[in-house]
Amino acid sequence: MGIVTARRLSQGFFLLVFCWLCLVTTLGDGAFELRGWPVNWLLSLAPLTALATGLATGSLFAPLLWAVPVVIASLFLGRFFCGFACPLGTLNQLSGYLTRKTLGRAGRAEDNHPSPAQGLKYALLAFLLAAAVLGNVQTGLLDPLALLTRSASLAVLPLLDPRQGLGQAEARHYDGAWVVGLLLVAILALNALRPRFFCRYLCPLGAFFGLLTRFSPWRIGKADTGNCGTCRLCEEYCEGGCRPSGQLIVSECVLCLNCLDRCPTGRIGFAGRPSAAGEQPLPDFSRRGAVLVLASGTAGLLAAPLWSVGGVAGIGRNPGLIRPPGSLDEARFLARCIRCGQCMRVCPANVIQPAVTVAGAAGLWTPALDYRLGRAGCLPNCIACGQVCPTAAIRPLSIEEKRGLGDFAAAGPLRLGTAFVDRSRCLPWAMGRPCLVCQEVCPVSPKAITVREVFEPLRLPRLAVADSRGTVVTLAALPAVGRNLAAGDFFLRPAGLPQATPQRILGRAAAQLTLAAPLAEAAPGREVEIVVRLEQPHVDPAQCIGCGMCEHECPVSGLRAIRVTSENESRSGPGRMLAEAARQGGRSWRRKSFPA
């Protein structure tokens, strides 16, 4: 078996593993569901994730130690991960081959000529690592493993799930998924311009491996300095644009090994010595390129402080930003989250969505709860998101901790936020229409939503009693009401006596009403009025956990009449509002009081 065949088999294997792990990131124990598969394994192999989160937090999450063997191997072999394992690199190489197969030999060789623009990825790497030093991890936006996982989870698999009977049983919806999908399409389409365009010009992980390659003893190179002719087959099929026929750019070789396989004279090999034709460690940087890298690093150092000036993690936070259960406080959350989308994929309620604007620029595509778009609120007995998070931005929970049971009873359940009733939109408050949905679906015991019963008269002229016999009251006239008076929420009571006990209307026939019990004051000639019983909801902030069941089920479409905001969330001191002393950041503060 040739070395190129071995490389292709390795690429195919890792691509299939990637597809399988994305597919089974679905809660359940079926054939195409989670069942304990290590869905984070490929993400844990990325050294850039381990490095960025380590710089931002000063610690390394244990599963990310899988990146250490990759770094060690890269120090000896070069960018083997790019050529043999990276699934996005495989897709780029395949799409480049398909879109450029009709290009002539001279055109292919010319497109593979090294370009100073290949240094752009080093500027991006400098920006991302500098930002990470100050706690702002943005590597997941361009890290190829996180990028491809996010694209597959939010854009590709939702197109296949309900149609093919794989993964999720119902259609999934994600806010802004079209942008995520178009980004992947654009990355693949750019390979029509240059082979592995993303890998050459934009990939920060490739830049990191390129820096490691400077120290690797084993590399591609020419065995002697003799003239090897003008065939240029090595450059025609080079995937990295590293100039294998001349002075080799060591950091740009992705170990596709096409040059070794294609060379008709055998002058190119893989050995523990420098290339006989000479080497340069990095792409040709002009003075402008060096300034760009320096400016990118400076911009990265400024990004986190400038973001904190807006106070979006503290007093200036968006109250609509609700993180999944188990999320760290906002600053530490953004120092770990790589935006891979696995928590969004595994959520059975489809309530975890990619943040587009609600979390600001620093929180783009991080997970946030959207109770309106999902299929339910946050399920009380579900802890899946924390179990699949590769960096512990959402820490793994137990059911007992989430619900405040057993050893966690004293601390109480985790709170995601608090529901607030919008009385200007609530049917019982604003429209005089009976509704009890939010109170009925509240999963907390005792209920976090209670109701206060009031009786409001319908907007009708006062009605005169023509006859009253037991439970049957005949009115002189009864205009059109437009409602079903026998629905159980309508009552009859004497006009002008709001303290009188109203009697439920059980039936209507023209102007004749049948009541549940006789109405003593309904003598002929007396005036009566029809009232509707309204149960107006009130939220107890001490009981509400912010699960969002009420918001999701609210019958007021669009802007719900009851909405959950992040006030009183467990993960963040400044977001709490129950009156009690607390400590945060070494200084004393008091939680805001909330009126009943």
Side-chain angles (χ1 to χ4, degrees), residues 119-120 122-124 126-127 285 288-298:
L120 177 60
Y122 295 94
L124 292 173
F127 173 85
F285 278 106
R288 291 181 181 178
V291 171
L292 176 62
V293 173
L294 181 61
S296 298
T298 304

Side-chain angles (χ1 to χ4, degrees), residues 93 96-97 100 103-116 118 191-197 200-201 232-249 252-254 256 258-259 262:
Q93 188 165 335
Y97 168 77
R100 301 171 59 79
L103 200 63
R105 293 183 56 185
R108 288 198 295 267
E110 184 61 30
D111 284 349
N112 286 331
H113 189 74
S115 167
Q118 291 174 238
N191 295 304
L193 301 179
R194 291 289 187 275
R196 295 185 72 146
F197 185 98
R200 290 191 188 188
Y201 303 108
R232 301 183 68 188
L233 285 173
C234 55
E235 293 192 8
E236 180 183 344
Y237 292 96
C238 177
E239 292 291 335
C242 64
R243 195 167 50 211
S245 66
Q247 189 180 34
L248 180 72
I249 306 176
E252 299 306 292
C253 177
V254 297
C256 67
N258 287 338
C259 57
R262 295 278 180 173

Side-chain angles (χ1 to χ4, degrees), residues 338-568:
I338 60 171
R339 301 149 171 85
C340 64
Q342 289 207 119
C343 56
M344 308 172 203
R345 168 72 182 171
V346 80
C347 178
N350 194 200
V351 75
I352 304 180
Q353 296 288 323
V356 178
T357 59
V358 70
L364 178 66
W365 291 334
T366 55
L369 303 190
D370 187 333
Y371 297 125
R372 188 177 65 86
L373 191 57
R375 293 201 294 262
C378 182
L379 304 178
N381 291 321
C382 178
I383 52 173
C385 53
Q387 307 302 317
V388 302
C389 181
T391 61
I394 306 173
R395 60 185 181 86
L397 300 172
S398 64
I399 294 293
E400 289 74 17
E401 182 179 3
K402 183 178 181 181
R403 300 190 61 182
L405 304 175
D407 294 338
F408 302 94
L414 286 182
R415 303 179 189 275
L416 306 179
T418 304
F420 289 83
V421 177
D422 185 346
R423 297 186 181 184
S424 67
R425 296 180 64 82
C426 180
L427 296 179
W429 281 101
M431 308 293 179
R433 301 279 178 168
C435 180
L436 198 58
V437 171
C438 58
Q439 196 267 351
E440 290 177 338
V441 300
C442 178
V444 178
S445 181
K447 296 278 189 181
I449 300 177
T450 57
V451 295
R452 298 176 188 175
E453 187 178 77
V454 297
F455 291 90
E456 291 189 1
L458 298 185
R459 299 182 63 181
L460 297 172
R462 290 195 173 183
L463 308 172
V465 177
D467 186 29
S468 177
R469 298 182 181 181
T471 59
V472 178
V473 176
T474 303
L475 304 177
L478 180 58
V481 177
R483 304 196 199 181
N484 180 12
L485 296 181
D489 291 305
F490 296 92
F491 294 72
L492 192 69
R493 76 180 180 190
L497 296 175
Q499 73 280 5
T501 302
Q503 296 299 329
R504 187 192 306 269
I505 299 174
L506 299 181
R508 173 193 176 185
Q512 188 178 82
L513 301 177
T514 302
L515 307 181
L519 186 65
E521 297 86 349
R526 290 288 302 270
E527 289 186 337
V528 293
E529 60 185 359
I530 298 176
V531 296
V532 58
R533 182 187 63 181
L534 301 174
E535 295 174 298
Q536 297 172 335
H538 295 259
V539 178
D540 180 359
Q543 289 292 115
C544 182
I545 59 174
C547 67
M549 294 291 185
C550 54
E551 180 177 347
H552 181 269
E553 298 297 335
C554 178
V556 179
S557 61
L559 184 64
R560 300 294 200 258
I562 184 169
R563 301 186 293 276
V564 178
T565 59
S566 60
E567 279 82 7
N568 211 28

Side-chain angles (χ1 to χ4, degrees), residues 70-352:
V70 177
V71 171
I72 294 174
S74 299
L75 286 172
F76 283 91
L77 301 175
R79 292 176 61 177
F80 82 97
F81 188 87
C82 302
F84 282 75
C86 179
L88 183 56
T90 300
L91 292 177
N92 281 328
Q93 188 165 335
L94 178 61
S95 60
Y97 168 77
L98 294 176
T99 57
R100 301 171 59 79
K101 60 187 303 183
T102 59
L103 200 63
R105 293 183 56 185
R108 288 198 295 267
E110 184 61 30
D111 284 349
N112 286 331
H113 189 74
S115 167
Q118 291 174 238
L120 177 60
K121 60 180 175 289
Y122 295 94
L124 292 173
L125 177 65
F127 173 85
L128 295 173
L129 292 183
V133 169
L134 296 182
N136 191 355
V137 173
Q138 300 288 336
T139 54
L141 295 175
L142 289 175
D143 182 286
L145 294 176
L147 187 155
L148 190 58
T149 302
R150 178 174 63 247
S151 301
S153 299
L154 305 187
V156 179
L157 288 176
L159 298 176
L160 303 177
D161 281 335
R163 295 171 177 81
Q164 305 301 325
L166 304 176
Q168 304 288 353
E170 300 180 28
R172 310 278 285 186
H173 304 283
Y174 295 103
D175 187 18
W178 66 274
V179 178
V180 177
L182 283 182
L183 178 61
L184 177 62
V185 171
I187 288 173
L188 298 180
L190 285 172
N191 295 304
L193 301 179
R194 291 289 187 275
R196 295 185 72 146
F197 185 98
F198 178 83
C199 309
R200 290 191 188 188
Y201 303 108
L202 300 174
C203 180
L205 182 59
F208 177 78
F209 283 131
L211 295 177
L212 294 182
T213 301
R214 295 189 59 184
F215 308 100
S216 61
W218 289 79
R219 61 193 63 187
I220 285 289
K222 295 180 70 173
D224 57 62
T225 57
N227 186 3
C228 61
T230 59
C231 71
R232 301 183 68 188
L233 285 173
C234 55
E235 293 192 8
E236 180 183 344
Y237 292 96
C238 177
E239 292 291 335
C242 64
R243 195 167 50 211
S245 66
Q247 189 180 34
L248 180 72
I249 306 176
V250 179
S251 63
E252 299 306 292
C253 177
V254 297
L255 286 186
C256 67
L257 303 177
N258 287 338
C259 57
L260 187 151
D261 183 65
R262 295 278 180 173
C263 181
T265 63
R267 293 179 182 271
I268 295 181
F270 184 74
R273 61 176 181 270
S275 175
E279 294 180 349
Q280 66 180 74
L282 295 170
D284 288 322
F285 278 106
S286 63
R287 182 174 300 177
R288 291 181 181 178
V291 171
L292 176 62
V293 173
L294 181 61
S296 298
T298 304
L301 289 173
L302 292 175
L306 287 177
W307 173 75
S308 64
V309 168
V312 294
I315 193 170
R317 73 189 187 284
N318 188 327
L321 176 60
I322 304 171
R323 295 296 189 188
S327 297
L328 304 178
D329 62 83
E330 191 66 7
R332 291 193 298 155
F333 180 85
L334 292 176
R336 286 187 177 273
C337 180
I338 60 171
R339 301 149 171 85
C340 64
Q342 289 207 119
C343 56
M344 308 172 203
R345 168 72 182 171
V346 80
C347 178
N350 194 200
V351 75
I352 304 180

Side-chain angles (χ1 to χ4, degrees), residues 20 23-37 167-169:
W20 175 255
L23 179 64
V24 299
T25 308
T26 303
L27 190 62
D29 57 2
F32 296 98
E33 295 173 334
L34 198 56
R35 297 203 305 177
W37 288 99
Q168 304 288 353

